[in-house]
């Protein structure tokens, strides 16, 4: 994919991103944000089933601009179950696609704020307008921070990565979030960035309160994925004594404060 040109409200992209993302409602939302919260939109830095994230310029530096796909099939098939049962959105009607889309954007903003209040490193939410969420940018002007999945265990730059520290930090994040009353719901090496020698949690639209009917199931899945990833990474370390981590059931008890 070619990088798009920075724009006021003109965008040049190859492929389907332009067609799928920039419908009229999204363009109007971006236009409103460009009049106050952001100065410019640069190019896509991440693309998934739910959204496309763009690098941009805010009033005080770089920002990440997350645009939720207006035509995403995941919108109708997957989002509802994470919204229904969340007392924060009990009074909202979810009968229309737009309502679900806009609620999802607000939900991610609220989740980011709640998780940050727990002492977990996340992008800072700046503004939300319809299906567009503006957040602080994690990375530098050259590129966004890498995901944990993209960090290896060999090579000169990799030797500085303390995988056991990252494991302890991520498990402590889960404990802090649970204590704050929230579960990530999709935590894995795909939703953890590495920046300033620390892990940063991203993609929290699906995160639910611990009172949600799916909370315990999602917590178990989060723990199993995290334990599996770090067990593999720590087992791959060369020239060092292999480090074993706790099993998923022990980590769950720790997260719940039962140990």
């Amino acid at each position: 994919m070619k990088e798009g040109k920075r724009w006021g409200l003109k965008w040049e992209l190859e492929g389907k991103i332009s067609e799928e993302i920039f419908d009229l409602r999204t363009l109007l939302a971006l236009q409103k944000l460009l009049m106050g919260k952001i100065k410019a939109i640069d190019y896509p830095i991440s693309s998934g089933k739910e959204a496309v994230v763009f690098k941009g310029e805010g009033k005080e530096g770089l920002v990440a601009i997350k645009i939720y796909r207006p035509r995403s099939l995941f919108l109708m098939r997957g989002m509802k179950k994470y919204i229904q049962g969340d007392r924060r959105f009990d009074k909202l009607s979810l009968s229309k696609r737009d309502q679900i889309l806009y609620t999802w954007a607000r939900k991610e903003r609220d989740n980011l704020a709640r998780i940050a209040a727990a002492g977990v490193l996340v992008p800072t939410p700046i503004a939300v307008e319809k299906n567009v969420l503006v957040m602080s940018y994690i990375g530098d002007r050259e590129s966004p921070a890498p995901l944990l999945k993209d960090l290896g265990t060999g090579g000169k730059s990799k030797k500085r990565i303390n995988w056991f520290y990252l494991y302890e930090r991520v498990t402590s994040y889960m404990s802090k979030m649970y204590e704050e009353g929230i579960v990530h719901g999709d935590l894995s090496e795909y939703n953890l960035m590495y920046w300033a020698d620390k892990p940063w949690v991203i993609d929290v639209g699906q995160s639910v309160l611990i009172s949600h009917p799916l909370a315990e199931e999602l917590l178990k899945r989060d723990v199993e994925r995290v334990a599996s990833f770090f067990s593999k990474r720590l087992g791959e370390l060369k020239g060092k004594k292999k480090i074993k981590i706790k099993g998923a059931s022990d980590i769950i008890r720790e997260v719940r404060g039962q140990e």
Side-chain angles (χ1 to χ4, degrees):
M1 180 193 304
K2 289 184 178 179
E3 292 181 358
K5 294 181 179 180
R6 178 180 288 198
W7 56 285
L9 276 178
K10 289 186 177 179
W11 188 262
E12 296 178 13
L13 279 176
E14 286 188 351
K16 294 184 177 180
I17 282 186
S18 182
E19 297 174 7
E20 293 180 354
I21 293 295
F22 297 108
D23 63 354
L24 179 59
R25 58 188 159 185
T26 303
L27 290 173
L28 291 173
L30 288 169
Q31 185 177 49
K32 185 172 182 178
L33 289 166
L34 282 162
M35 292 189 293
K37 297 296 183 179
I38 58 178
K39 295 164 62 176
I41 303 173
D42 289 338
Y43 51 84
I45 54 175
S46 175
S47 178
K49 63 183 178 181
E50 168 194 336
V52 177
V53 181
F54 291 79
K55 175 185 172 187
E57 290 282 350
K59 297 299 183 181
E60 299 180 0
L62 296 176
V63 294
I65 302 165
K66 187 169 187 176
I67 302 177
Y68 301 88
R69 296 178 181 272
R71 302 174 186 175
S72 170
L73 291 176
F74 174 71
L75 177 67
M76 296 304 293
R77 294 176 181 174
M79 289 182 176
K80 266 190 175 182
K81 67 179 181 180
Y82 296 102
I83 299 173
Q84 292 172 334
D86 189 323
R87 64 173 183 268
R88 297 173 295 178
F89 305 102
D90 280 345
K91 296 181 180 180
L92 293 177
S93 171
L94 300 177
S95 59
K96 296 182 180 178
R97 179 181 290 265
D98 284 359
Q99 292 171 323
I100 300 172
L101 186 66
Y102 303 159
T103 299
W104 192 262
R106 294 196 303 273
K107 185 173 185 284
E108 180 145 22
R109 175 201 59 191
D110 293 350
N111 287 342
L112 284 169
R114 188 168 189 135
I115 293 170
V120 174
L121 292 176
V122 292
T124 302
I126 297 171
V128 64
E129 183 64 33
K130 294 185 177 178
N131 61 316
V132 182
L133 174 63
V134 182
M135 306 168 281
S136 60
Y137 177 89
I138 311 302
D140 57 30
R141 290 195 172 274
E142 296 300 319
S143 62
L147 299 174
L148 255 60
K149 76 177 184 69
D150 295 323
L151 299 178
T153 55
K156 293 181 180 179
S157 63
K158 313 307 180 190
K159 292 181 180 178
R160 296 193 296 270
I161 299 173
N162 186 332
W163 285 101
F164 189 70
Y165 164 77
L166 292 179
Y167 157 72
E168 289 190 316
R169 189 90 180 208
V170 172
T171 53
S172 76
Y173 283 176
M174 288 190 285
S175 296
K176 289 179 178 179
M177 284 189 281
Y178 197 85
E179 187 176 353
E180 188 66 26
I182 194 166
V183 172
H184 185 282
D186 194 24
L187 194 61
S188 73
E189 64 272 26
Y190 291 86
N191 288 327
L192 287 160
M193 300 181 102
Y194 180 73
W195 190 247
D197 299 326
K198 295 180 177 64
W200 293 69
V201 175
I202 59 171
D203 291 342
V204 301
Q206 74 292 322
S207 299
V208 298
L209 302 182
I210 60 174
S211 59
H212 192 280
L214 295 176
E216 291 304 313
E217 175 188 336
L218 295 175
L219 174 63
K220 183 174 182 289
R221 187 176 69 180
D222 284 354
V223 169
E224 288 175 345
R225 287 177 174 176
V226 167
S228 175
F229 172 72
F230 281 104
S231 180
K232 181 180 178 181
R233 275 292 186 265
L234 289 167
E236 291 172 347
L237 294 177
K238 298 178 180 179
K240 292 186 178 182
K241 184 179 179 180
K242 298 298 183 288
I243 302 172
K244 290 187 177 181
I245 64 173
K246 295 179 179 179
S249 58
D250 290 331
I251 296 174
I252 289 174
R253 284 195 293 271
E254 187 177 281
V255 168
R256 291 174 178 158
Q258 296 172 340
E259 286 188 354

